[in-house]
Amino acid sequence: MDRPRQSLLKSWYVAFAGLFTAIKTERNVRIVAVCMVAAFALAAAFRVSAIEWIIVVLCCGLVMVTELLNTAIESVTDLACEERHPLAAASKDTAAAATLMASGTALIAGLIIFVPKIINLICCWL
């Protein structure tokens, strides 16, 4: 059964609607969005290099993508399985683990980029 193709504009609209719905309804997506804004503000304040900007943007994007996929997997799992099932739990736990790994990776990269700059700033004040 062939579905009619959506226009590119309609596809973007649907994607942004999904993002805004996730931000509005999912606490963890909001937390990730706030952390992204904070990371971008820090990067701008410390005038990080182009390579460091790329790392910050990629890490933030990775965390948001995994959180959105985690949310989608949890929603589909809840829809498909009304009662608790070991496979449903494993699916949801594994999706959450992906977000945890992405967040840990982003945290380590952020520490590598920002801690030396923060230490340098503190040392200049002393």
Side-chain angles (χ1 to χ4, degrees), residues 42-83:
L42 271 175
F46 283 116
R47 299 177 188 226
V48 299
S49 70
I51 294 295
E52 290 169 327
W53 262 113
I54 291 167
I55 292 167
V56 169
V57 169
L58 287 175
C59 285
C60 287
L62 175 67
V63 174
M64 183 58 84
V65 166
T66 56
E67 185 56 49
L68 291 169
L69 288 172
N70 179 40
T71 298
I73 289 168
E74 287 184 355
S75 296
V76 169
T77 302
D78 290 345
L79 179 65
C81 191
E82 292 180 14
E83 66 283 340

Side-chain angles (χ1 to χ4, degrees), residues 89-107:
S91 173
K92 292 168 86 170
D93 292 348
T94 303
T99 302
L100 178 66
M101 295 303 296
S103 298
T105 301
L107 176 63

